[in-house]
Amino acid sequence: MAIIAFIGLGNMGSGMCANLAKAGHEVRAFDLSAEAVKRAEGAGARGAKSAAEAVSGADAIVTMLPAGKHVRAVYEGEIFDAAQPGTVIMDCSTIDVATARSVGEAAAAKGFLFVDAPVSGGVAAADAGTLTFMVGGPEAAFAKAEPFLSNMGKAVIHAGDAGTGQAAKICNNMLLGITMIGTCEAFALADRLGLDQQRFFDIASKASGQSWSMTSYCPVPGPVETSPANRGYTPGFATAMMLKDLKLAMDAAATSGASTPLGAQAEALYALFDNMGGGSSDFSAIYKLLQGSWNTE
Ligand code: NAD
């Protein structure tokens, strides 16, 4: 069993940290929120007073922070100076590819085994230990990180070199945003044409319009019992989170020169929905905006 430093004990990090402790590791937990550290202590971790204290003498480090600026600040401000070279480091936050690459390169130059390892799956998967990890970094770093990530997830996939985990995450979520909007448009049109939504689902879910957005996360109430549409669009995956990932995708498209016109439309529509008060609703609630019933009930 290893000594693991865990930094960032929010909605996602608290469950992930608990699963590492449950697997028998000695986990040293730190967050800017004292309450979050207390919660981690209750789940079997040992609280630390700073990121530097948590990482000093650790065999492995996991970070689960909001955005690129937090990741850069924690690594450059504390971790790189306090951790011992050779330590395996996993940044599981969803951040921009450019920051992931530059922090990864700085870590490698200092002798750390660094991977970017963002996740798919929300808070429920973090709690249950069933996340999917998309991992970017050298083969040797992946081999060291894989057993720890497996303690927190059901699938750990090596995407390629540094930054490719983040690249996989934002490409996947751009596609998800686009297919969700397309699925919502189809249901809204079906509605206007007098087609019963369950009947449309029965047909489209077995025809060429099928997608995960339709069959696993259907945006209208009824067809898929577990979808947020059946619980008033409580997330799930909040619109604000989808918007964050679409912004990351559009930034990456701009810097790499990729053409992503539908991604740009999806970002614009989710920004509009966020401005109209949809930010904390599940991202499938954009159905109500497209159908014309958002905030009218
Ligand atoms: P969160 O805001 O709940 O948690 C982030 C935590 O980081 C907070 O507790 C905050 O206090 C802490 N923090 C910030 N700066 C810090 C610092 N300098 N030192 C120590 N702690 C610091 O966010 P979350 O929902 O847990 O998401 C974390 C990451 O996971 C994000 O990048 C998000 O995009 C990604 N993600 C979230 C979900 C989801 O459904 N919530 C799903 C997939 C990926």
Side-chain angles (χ1 to χ4, degrees):
M1 290 299 122
I3 300 174
I4 305 176
F6 201 111
I7 297 156
L9 307 161
N11 292 323
M12 296 292 289
S14 57
M16 294 164 69
C17 174
N19 283 323
L20 288 172
K22 211 186 285 174
H25 299 294
E26 180 185 328
V27 185
R28 298 175 183 169
F30 176 69
D31 193 289
L32 294 178
S33 154
E35 203 179 302
V37 175
K38 270 226 156 57
R39 208 170 41 231
E41 286 172 342
R46 171 135 54 97
K49 288 191 176 53
S50 66
E53 183 190 307
V55 303
S56 112
D59 305 307
I61 299 168
V62 181
T63 49
M64 192 54 166
L65 297 162
K69 64 179 181 196
H70 308 95
V71 170
R72 189 182 285 287
V74 170
Y75 279 95
E76 290 178 355
E78 297 200 60
I79 294 178
F80 287 157
D81 287 338
Q84 57 200 4
T87 305
V88 57
I89 302 180
M90 296 150 268
D91 177 39
C92 299
S93 330
T94 300
I95 66 168
D96 58 287
V97 176
T99 301
R101 289 213 163 113
S102 88
V103 172
E105 280 161 15
K110 288 175 186 296
F112 297 109
L113 294 164
F114 182 95
V115 294
D116 51 290
V119 304
S120 175
V123 175
D127 290 346
T130 56
L131 293 165
T132 294
F133 289 89
M134 309 161 209
V135 189
E139 194 65 58
F142 175 78
K144 286 266 188 189
E146 205 265 343
F148 299 117
L149 298 174
S150 294
N151 290 150
M152 301 181 281
K154 66 172 172 16
V156 182
I157 301 157
H158 194 194
D161 292 339
T164 56
Q166 299 294 350
K169 167 81 184 172
I170 59 169
C171 291
N172 180 74
N173 280 21
M174 182 182 77
L175 181 58
L176 174 62
I178 292 168
T179 60
M180 179 53 78
I181 291 168
T183 305
C184 291
E185 283 188 5
F187 272 105
L189 177 61
D191 200 33
R192 290 290 170 109
L193 297 176
L195 174 56
D196 178 74
Q197 293 190 320
Q198 180 66 52
R199 295 289 171 93
F200 175 56
F201 174 86
D202 292 343
I203 293 163
S205 63
K206 292 182 181 57
S208 47
Q210 188 273 339
S211 71
W212 185 90
S213 294
M214 161 105 35
T215 53
S216 296
Y217 213 86
C218 187
V220 300
V224 175
E225 201 190 327
T226 51
S227 72
N230 287 319
R231 43 172 208 268
Y233 295 100
T234 306
F237 186 49
T239 290
M241 291 277 195
M242 172 51 85
L243 182 57
K244 173 194 165 184
D245 291 354
L246 286 168
K247 283 182 193 297
L248 291 175
M250 291 308 97
D251 287 349
T255 49
S256 66
S259 296
T260 51
L262 289 179
Q265 280 290 320
E267 184 202 5
L269 278 165
Y270 275 109
L272 174 68
F273 188 41
D274 187 44
N275 279 336
M276 290 179 72
S280 58
S281 291
D282 188 78
F283 81 115
S284 60
I286 201 163
Y287 168 69
K288 299 191 85 173
L289 181 75
L290 294 165
Q291 183 226 20
S293 64
W294 177 248
N295 276 347
T296 60
E297 288 160 7

